[in-house]
């Protein structure tokens, strides 16, 4: 399996970092793009450095590199996950504005009918945010907001993060035990 992971400039970059770690444990090939703003947020919100995060992925690309292999429909990959997704990135994807590697790989993912998972991280949401999500959903993208559940009775923030990561891995049909599934 080959997965493209994009980390954009929204709070919650730890979701993207932890996703990379989980995919690495599963020996899944990862292709990473970190936006310029996300690089600042990584340093601000986490104990990781940008170089630490890059070292987790198998391949790295710069946000402005439109010649990157991931931006071609002929490059075969299974899914793209944009985690977290800023509202700027969401808007660009929704409107087909593929001016960087993140929005271009999302465009390729949708046009090639591959799995696109968008993890928006914003609150509250404006009507335009919701409309942009609806547009992407109508094209086959999956909107998976960073909204952890509580039925598994999380004891700490890691368990809340794992809930979201488990949901992503479930969509990708990757077995995981990151959270206790709903039981009656």
């Amino acid at each position: 399996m080959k997965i493209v992971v994009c980390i954009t400039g929204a709070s919650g970059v730890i979701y993207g970092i932890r996703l990379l770690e989980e995919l690495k444990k599963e020996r899944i090939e990862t292709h990473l793009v970190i936006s310029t703003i996300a690089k600042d947020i990584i340093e601000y919100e986490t104990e990781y450095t940008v170089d630490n995060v890059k070292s987790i992925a198998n391949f790295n690309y710069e946000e402005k590199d439109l010649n990157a292999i991931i931006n071609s429909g002929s490059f075969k990959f299974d899914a793209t996950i944009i985690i977290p997704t800023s509202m700027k990135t969401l808007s660009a994807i929704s409107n087909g504005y593929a001016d960087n590697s993140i929005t271009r790989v999302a465009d390729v993912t949708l046009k090639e009918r591959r799995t696109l998972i968008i993890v928006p991280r914003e609150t509250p949401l404006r009507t335009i945010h919701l409309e942009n999500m609806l547009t992407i959903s109508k094209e086959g993208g999956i909107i998976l907001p960073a909204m952890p559940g509580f039925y598994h009775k999380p004891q700490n923030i890691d368990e809340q993060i794992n809930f979201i990561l488990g949901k992503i891995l479930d969509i990708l049909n990757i077995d995981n035990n990151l959270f206790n599934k709903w039981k009656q």
Side-chain angles (χ1 to χ4, degrees):
M1 208 173 198
K2 293 180 187 176
I3 307 286
V4 178
V5 176
C6 302
I7 301 175
T8 69
S11 184
V13 293
I14 192 65
Y15 286 112
I17 297 167
R18 290 275 297 109
L19 177 64
L20 286 168
E21 291 173 341
E22 289 300 320
L23 294 172
K24 186 172 188 165
K25 284 181 196 173
E26 296 293 326
R27 293 188 164 95
I28 293 172
E29 183 178 303
T30 53
H31 297 256
L32 175 64
V33 184
I34 304 173
S35 76
T36 302
I37 301 300
K39 290 176 182 178
D40 292 337
I41 296 172
I42 287 168
E43 302 284 343
Y44 181 78
E45 287 187 350
T46 75
E47 300 300 317
Y48 293 84
T49 66
V50 172
D51 286 339
N52 293 147
V53 176
K54 286 181 174 183
S55 73
I56 302 167
N58 298 101
F59 301 93
N60 290 274
Y61 309 94
E62 292 300 318
E63 179 182 22
K64 297 292 183 192
D65 185 7
L66 286 170
N67 290 319
I69 193 168
I70 60 172
N71 294 321
S72 172
S74 63
F75 177 64
K76 300 298 180 195
F77 58 89
D78 299 286
T80 298
I81 305 158
I82 305 177
I83 179 170
T85 309
S86 68
M87 293 303 104
K88 176 184 175 187
T89 300
L90 180 82
S91 177
I93 295 165
S94 174
N95 290 285
Y97 188 65
D99 71 331
N100 64 45
S101 285
I102 295 170
T103 54
R104 175 63 185 159
V105 73
D107 191 63
V108 167
T109 304
L110 288 172
K111 80 180 185 69
E112 298 292 332
R113 304 293 192 252
R114 298 178 189 153
T115 303
L116 174 65
I117 301 173
I118 301 287
V119 183
R121 227 309 303 141
E122 183 66 72
T123 192
L125 296 167
R126 293 178 47 214
T127 302
I128 195 69
H129 300 153
L130 297 168
E131 289 173 349
N132 286 337
M133 288 182 217
L134 179 61
T135 297
I136 292 169
S137 179
K138 285 180 177 178
E139 287 196 63
I142 298 166
I143 309 299
L144 196 154
M147 300 163 139
F150 294 91
Y151 57 81
H152 64 293
K153 299 181 181 173
Q155 300 299 306
N156 54 52
I157 196 162
D158 286 335
E159 290 180 8
Q160 291 177 314
I161 292 167
N162 285 346
F163 178 86
I164 298 300
L165 301 180
K167 292 291 190 178
I168 291 168
L169 297 179
D170 285 349
I171 289 169
L172 298 171
N173 293 314
I174 299 170
D175 288 333
N176 70 88
N177 294 313
L178 289 173
F179 69 98
N180 293 323
K181 310 298 193 236
W182 177 259
K183 296 176 188 165
Q184 287 198 11

